Amino acid sequence: MSDGAEVTSGLHPNALRALPLGQIRPAGWLAGQLRLQADGMAGHLDEIWPDVGESAWIGGSAEGWERGPYWLDGVTPLAFLLDDPTLRAKVEHWVSYILDHQADDGWLGPRRTGTGSEPDVDPDLDVWPRMVVLKALLQYHSATGDDRSVKASLRLVRTLRDVLGRRPLRDWGRMRWADLVWSVHQLYDLTQEAWLLEAADTVRAQGYDWSAYAEHLPFPEKVPDPTLREYQRQAGGVWMNDVMMATHGVNVAMGVKMPAVWWRQAGDDRLVPLVERMLDQLDAHHGQASGLFGADEHLAGRHPSQGTEACAVVELLLSLEVAVETWGAVEPLVDRLERVAYNALPATAAADEWTHQYLQQANQVVCHVTQDRVYTNNGPDANIFGLAPHFGCCTANRHQGWPKFAARLWMATPDDGLQALTYAPCTIDTTVRGARARVRVDGGYPFTDEVSIRVAVDAPVAFPLRLRVPGWAEGAELSVDGGEAVPLRPGTVHQLDRLWTGEQVVALRLPAPVRVEHRDRGGVAVHRGPLTFALAVGESWQRVGGVEPYADFEVHPTTPWNYALELDPDDPQAGLALERREVGDRPYAPDGAPLLLHATGRRVPAWEVRHGAADAPPSSPVGAEDTESRRERIVLAPYGSIRLRVSELPWTPPIAVSDVDAATRV
């Protein structure tokens, strides 16, 4: 960190550096998850959806705004992580068309002419979708080294600078300016061209003030739909009011990265605590058990049925990844990154990756088309699964989540070492201090507590291997080549400085105790390691339109959901028993969940569906007179493995010690 003094390089260095795209490859269950994407909607969207397949970005007549760039931004890392020739050919086609059709003045993509309300300004010179294209082109360069994408990006940024001199950022671009500056900074790192920093400063000056937002959240309450509609009416389709834009969940998720992005140029350490402060305030006023915040479409409070848009999930992940790259393995940020990635990310799509929801709910007991709905201002089909329910932005954008997360499991350090952030199975093939190094991470993390890290080098080489120890991992330990176990301190980064020769095996043990989080009205959420657990509700999928496999589906419950969890507040783990299963290729399918928690519950008849969703949980502890007398065995499964779930539960005191006869008592 710095005291704000200027740096001779023009930018403060990142604490970590993403490895070139393709040097990390997913393995185990993570490879299966990305393969599902490639074989599902992500890999075939250009074949089944005109907004991508006939996009104006590649000369078609369909939408020429954000959807094509969104898809390219997600399918590019997917193609190179999997080294999939079919997907790589699709990426090559898109990138080549975009670069080959760059305008003489540097503009990329469709350009329509019009008079507009401002003299000498083309109303269709929209900066926002170009921000997304820049991200895709820079990933392509990372994977291929093709300098065409860098040269084209430089020309585009020059043009954007000129456009902003005539018409400042507005609407989506004004709120999402940090993404543009992030790309401009990457270009500066590649080229050292000083004018890029001047352009970045212009963008920042025209953008929304996320610093003040992070200091003091201006919207602590659910924004009511009538208020939004009135602002929308006043805007008249020309300018979107700040209340509309600053409460929009995706804008907020993207704004989280702003302090980290601008710190590199400003060097102002007052920015450093703002990411965590912003997240803490979102948690306090809008937080959900999954690590998300309620925003359907706009900030919507802590009611666990309000929902969060799929785009907000993947954009929050990217913001956290940027912050971690900038400042290193800051534990609250990496913990949040894991929590969102391992829970909310898989939950927003069907297990086969062919359909998705616009909105996911922490307490989601039915997914259906309904006119009577709890959402702030989303439509009647917002939580069904389909090709493009409610609105098509998430159809194109959600695919970036898994690939970008997988590409940053490990990162390079400034002293030519390697840093592990999270231990999902993967392989790494890179060069460290002039020697080829191959790393293989085995195990079923986050579903297992043991991680095996094999480090193989072609020639002896000394470099530091830094291993993050999660804050929840009490009793963590490490050994090398079967040697004596070394205790590790939770919430730290353990550094192995050694001469690596041949192949050596680092064994990590990261015990993950069950934790109970206290929620509103005395309710609870249950976590184990980075996983959130929820009551598993039986699912009946019913096609209501479209063509399979990307048809529209409602999901209706086949089992009761309105249970109070029997819980001893003095020993909340006593009534829970852990069952372990094999970690297969589809851990985020209901029948593939590798971990289950067995518990005891009692039905609460008065807790019902209201406004098309589960009502707020009743206040806890729930008295015996408000529950059915019969005690039932209930199962909690990982949040992302089930599509009907109750993750925020009321609790009731146990009548007697539960006789759950599952596997290991936790």
Side-chain angles (χ1 to χ4, degrees):
M1 304 302 177
S2 97
D3 59 3
E6 290 192 16
V7 252
T8 55
S9 67
L11 286 179
H12 290 261
N14 283 321
L16 299 172
R17 185 183 75 253
L19 295 171
L21 188 58
Q23 287 192 1
I24 296 180
R25 299 206 186 279
W29 72 260
L30 184 58
Q33 194 68 30
L34 268 68
R35 189 71 253 166
L36 284 169
Q37 284 197 288
D39 294 340
M41 187 191 295
H44 295 280
L45 196 58
D46 58 325
E47 302 165 22
I48 63 176
W49 200 43
D51 278 3
V52 169
E54 300 171 21
S55 171
W57 280 88
I58 51 171
S61 58
E63 197 245 34
W65 190 46
E66 65 180 7
R67 295 180 181 182
Y70 265 156
W71 178 73
L72 183 62
D73 185 44
V75 79
T76 297
L78 181 64
F80 288 100
L81 281 163
L82 292 176
D83 195 21
D84 185 297
T86 300
L87 291 185
R88 289 184 60 162
K90 292 183 177 187
V91 170
E92 293 282 355
H93 169 67
W94 267 73
V95 170
S96 294
Y97 188 96
I98 290 171
L99 297 182
D100 291 345
H101 290 80
Q102 187 167 29
D104 291 340
D105 66 357
W107 191 254
L108 287 177
R111 171 190 262 146
R112 297 184 298 274
T113 57
T115 55
S117 58
E118 301 169 69
D120 302 320
V121 175
D122 184 338
D124 292 303
L125 292 180
D126 190 348
V127 175
W128 155 238
R130 276 83 214 163
M131 297 182 186
V132 186
V133 165
L134 276 172
K135 290 190 289 186
L137 291 178
L138 288 169
Q139 289 183 96
Y140 179 78
H141 174 264
S142 175
T144 65
D146 188 339
D147 283 338
R148 292 182 307 152
S149 55
V150 174
K151 293 174 181 177
S153 297
L154 287 170
R155 293 182 65 205
L156 174 62
V157 174
R158 284 190 184 275
T159 301
L160 295 181
R161 183 184 59 175
D162 294 341
V163 168
L164 296 180
R166 291 179 286 139
R167 185 183 73 175
L169 282 171
R170 60 193 299 167
D171 297 345
W172 304 108
R174 177 170 172 261
M175 307 306 292
R176 300 173 178 184
W177 65 267
D179 279 59
L180 177 54
V181 171
W182 183 52
S183 293
V184 171
H185 284 173
Q186 291 177 69
L187 284 170
Y188 179 85
D189 289 336
L190 290 167
T191 67
Q192 298 294 298
E193 295 200 21
W195 67 269
L196 287 165
L197 301 187
E198 297 172 6
D201 192 53
T202 297
V203 173
R204 177 206 57 83
Q206 295 180 5
Y208 182 75
D209 187 358
W210 288 109
S211 292
Y213 194 102
E215 284 279 11
H216 180 72
L217 183 68
F219 305 103
E221 305 291 337
K222 174 181 176 179
V223 184
D225 190 28
T227 300
L228 293 166
R229 292 187 184 279
E230 177 59 20
Y231 281 121
Q232 203 166 31
R233 185 192 66 77
Q234 293 175 10
V238 179
W239 278 92
M240 291 199 181
N241 187 283
D242 272 0
V243 173
M244 282 288 295
M245 299 300 279
T247 60
H248 188 276
V250 181
N251 289 343
V252 174
M254 297 176 77
V256 167
K257 72 170 65 65
M258 172 263 145
V261 168
W262 192 242
W263 177 86
R264 288 202 68 200
Q265 187 157 341
D268 184 350
D269 280 354
R270 290 174 297 182
L271 293 167
V272 175
L274 291 188
V275 171
E276 189 175 347
R277 178 168 174 78
M278 186 170 172
L279 291 168
D280 286 346
Q281 290 184 86
L282 288 168
D283 278 345
H285 299 290
H286 306 284
Q288 301 292 318
S290 59
L292 298 176
F293 50 88
D296 56 6
E297 179 108 346
H298 298 263
L299 293 177
R302 287 169 58 94
H303 190 306
S305 294
Q306 285 294 160
T308 306
E309 183 182 340
C311 281
V313 177
V314 296
E315 296 295 358
L316 180 58
L317 281 173
L318 181 60
S319 288
L320 292 166
E321 289 158 5
V322 170
V324 170
E325 184 173 12
T326 304
W327 293 321
V330 181
E331 182 52 32
L333 299 184
V334 188
D335 182 71
R336 173 84 59 153
L337 175 65
E338 285 197 307
R339 191 166 165 189
V340 174
Y342 291 136
N343 298 288
L345 179 59
T348 202
D352 64 3
E353 280 287 342
W354 269 108
T355 60
H356 78 285
Q357 296 175 289
Y358 189 79
L359 291 180
Q360 67 168 276
Q361 299 161 298
N363 282 5
Q364 183 166 278
V365 302
V366 61
C367 303
H368 58 158
V369 179
T370 177
Q371 298 299 326
D372 179 21
R373 52 194 184 272
V374 71
Y375 318 133
T376 302
N377 71 336
N378 282 157
D381 63 342
N383 85 328
I384 69 168
F385 287 82
L387 174 63
H390 184 62
F391 195 70
C393 57
C394 300
T395 304
N397 187 32
R398 72 174 184 86
H399 309 295
Q400 68 167 304
W402 280 121
K404 291 183 181 180
F405 176 74
R408 291 168 173 82
L409 298 172
W410 290 63
M411 303 183 82
T413 61
D415 56 354
D416 295 325
L418 291 173
Q419 160 84 66
L421 296 172
T422 180
Y423 298 100
C426 67
T427 62
I428 304 166
D429 193 340
T430 190
T431 300
V432 180
R433 297 185 177 179
R436 183 185 181 192
R438 283 151 292 168
V439 179
R440 181 175 183 88
V441 182
D442 290 311
Y445 185 91
F447 307 102
T448 62
D449 300 348
E450 288 75 33
V451 179
S452 171
I453 304 169
R454 295 181 178 271
V455 181
V457 293
D458 287 355
V461 58
F463 66 87
L465 192 72
R466 293 187 172 92
L467 304 172
R468 167 186 167 250
V469 186
W472 42 260
E474 296 288 344
E477 56 186 21
L478 169 151
S479 64
V480 179
D481 288 338
E484 183 179 355
V486 175
L488 304 175
R489 187 157 58 92
T492 64
V493 174
H494 182 80
Q495 182 165 319
L496 278 174
D497 279 308
R498 61 189 300 125
L499 179 69
W500 301 93
T501 59
E503 181 178 278
Q504 294 173 278
V505 179
V506 179
L508 273 180
R509 182 173 175 271
L510 302 172
V514 173
R515 312 182 311 280
V516 172
E517 173 194 1
H518 294 281
R519 303 288 302 169
D520 293 350
R521 299 164 61 90
V524 295
V526 179
H527 309 282
R528 184 182 188 276
L531 295 174
T532 297
F533 281 75
L535 174 72
V537 181
E539 303 172 6
S540 173
W541 289 63
Q542 302 173 15
R543 185 163 70 89
V544 294
V547 178
E548 294 195 39
Y550 47 90
D552 291 335
F553 293 93
E554 292 186 336
V555 188
H556 292 268
T558 61
T559 58
W561 58 266
N562 52 348
Y563 286 93
L565 179 67
E566 278 201 1
L567 191 73
D568 180 352
D570 296 324
D571 187 8
Q573 298 185 38
L576 302 172
L578 178 68
E579 178 186 352
R580 297 180 184 272
R581 298 175 172 181
E582 182 180 354
V583 182
D585 289 340
R586 298 180 66 175
Y588 288 113
D591 58 355
L595 295 176
L596 298 174
L597 285 172
H598 294 267
T600 303
R602 298 206 297 274
R603 293 277 302 279
V604 184
W607 188 18
E608 298 178 331
V609 168
R610 186 165 180 257
H611 298 308
D615 200 1
S619 295
S620 295
V622 180
E625 67 278 6
D626 295 318
T627 67
E628 293 184 352
S629 59
R630 186 164 65 97
R631 304 166 68 228
E632 300 181 47
R633 294 184 180 184
I634 58 175
V635 175
L636 309 184
Y639 181 104
S641 300
I642 46 181
R643 303 309 177 268
L644 296 186
R645 59 185 170 262
V646 183
S647 61
E648 193 168 318
L649 288 154
W651 64 273
T652 187
I655 298 173
V657 176
S658 174
D659 59 348
V660 181
D661 57 358
T664 311
R665 180 74 61 183
V666 296

